[in-house]
Amino acid sequence: MLNGLSRRSLNVIIIGSMLLIVWINLRNSGEDATLDPLTLAPLPAQQWQLWDSSEGVPLRWQTLRSDTLTIAISGAEGYRLHLSIPAENWASALKDAAPSLPAARAAGIALQGPLSDEEMRSSAAWLIHHLQLKAPLSRAGQQCQLSYPAGAYWFNDQANASWGTPAPVNGAALPDNAQWAGFREAATRSLRKDWLSPTRSIDIQSELAYHRWPENYLQALYQDLGSAQPDSAALYAACIHSVTGRIAH
């Protein structure tokens, strides 16, 4: 019956079956220990505008009263750039402050300051050209992370990776109830602290842009952490394996 299946298909079936067994065991062992949902204070709304440049580089900006234009860029291979320049004569200040990159790099940009929408786009366009920025690629498994954001963040946390990074299924042990309870409480506190921090919020937006997550991704992650059970990690892993057909590293 299985003779007509490719090796990739067989791998998917085998891995999926193993994860299903793990998930069933987790469910059975925790039937009498379901975690109560956390009571979470809502994350306040932040008004950010979204735009894709002609090069496909995602841009997010927030207009606010300030004497400075703040710039955050997140890119491939862990690239980060954070600049703060005078809003007055921003064009010449930007040319003086911006470094150069030796090669083109996929990235996302976030801007914050008193500039008009046209000026925000113009400053981003100059940065894209000067830094040789290019459009980030979509990654296999993004839908899994959107479906199980709390489970994905478990693997991010085990790998010491940012919450916004596409989560690797890296062989980390699946959590039990006690581990999951401590993890989600710490994670929701950390996410809320970052969201409310003026210096971190722009970095969050540049990361959302680079990884092409929806505008409400962090809010959805925050809420999912408040209610998701430990099997969320196993469900995310099973979804990833069904998409990739192999263990991601």
Side-chain angles (χ1 to χ4, degrees):
M1 179 177 176
L2 298 178
N3 290 341
L5 296 176
S6 66
R7 178 173 297 180
R8 178 185 175 89
S9 298
L10 287 172
N11 286 340
V12 170
I13 292 171
I14 293 169
I15 294 171
S17 299
M18 292 172 62
L19 286 166
L20 180 60
I21 292 169
V22 172
W23 174 57
I24 291 171
N25 288 337
L26 280 170
R27 297 281 296 209
N28 290 339
S29 64
E31 283 178 350
D32 298 325
T34 300
L35 297 175
D36 292 331
L38 298 176
T39 301
L40 301 177
L43 297 179
Q46 294 183 356
Q47 299 300 316
W48 288 81
Q49 299 197 58
L50 315 178
W51 179 69
D52 267 10
S53 70
S54 58
E55 296 85 356
V57 177
L59 166 67
R60 293 170 179 250
W61 76 81
Q62 183 183 51
T63 303
L64 46 73
R65 292 183 180 180
S66 175
D67 294 329
T68 60
L69 171 65
T70 304
I71 300 163
I73 300 177
S74 294
E77 300 173 358
Y79 177 72
R80 296 288 186 274
L81 176 65
H82 201 285
L83 296 174
S84 185
I85 61 174
E88 188 175 2
N89 299 321
W90 60 267
S92 58
L94 182 58
K95 291 178 182 178
D96 291 337
S100 297
L101 280 176
R105 190 184 303 259
I109 305 174
L111 304 174
Q112 198 174 50
L115 275 59
S116 68
D117 291 354
E118 182 178 355
E119 289 172 322
M120 291 288 194
R121 288 190 290 266
S122 295
S123 60
W126 186 88
L127 283 164
I128 291 166
H129 176 74
H130 177 72
L131 297 174
Q132 306 177 71
L133 303 182
K134 59 183 182 179
L137 299 175
S138 297
R139 294 173 176 83
Q142 281 189 311
Q143 188 55 51
C144 296
Q145 193 150 339
L146 293 174
S147 298
Y148 308 104
Y153 189 30
W154 167 263
F155 289 101
N156 280 136
D157 186 68
Q158 300 306 296
N160 293 317
S162 166
W163 57 267
T165 304
V169 181
N170 55 4
L174 295 172
D176 59 25
N177 273 23
Q179 291 169 325
W180 186 259
F183 160 72
R184 67 177 189 167
E185 288 182 7
T188 51
R189 285 197 302 268
S190 178
L191 290 177
R192 182 172 176 79
K193 180 180 178 181
D194 284 349
W195 186 254
L196 296 176
S197 167
T199 56
R200 276 290 294 134
S201 62
I202 189 170
D203 293 325
I204 287 171
Q205 294 298 328
S206 71
E207 191 166 0
L208 289 170
Y210 169 55
H211 294 301
R212 292 194 178 278
W213 296 122
E215 184 178 3
N216 66 341
Y217 178 75
L218 188 138
Q219 294 96 321
L221 169 60
Y222 179 75
Q223 292 297 327
D224 193 42
L225 280 164
S227 59
Q229 298 299 309
D231 59 9
S232 179
L235 290 169
Y236 170 73
C239 181
I240 286 292
H241 292 319
S242 72
V243 171
T244 63
R246 59 180 174 84
I247 297 178
H249 295 282

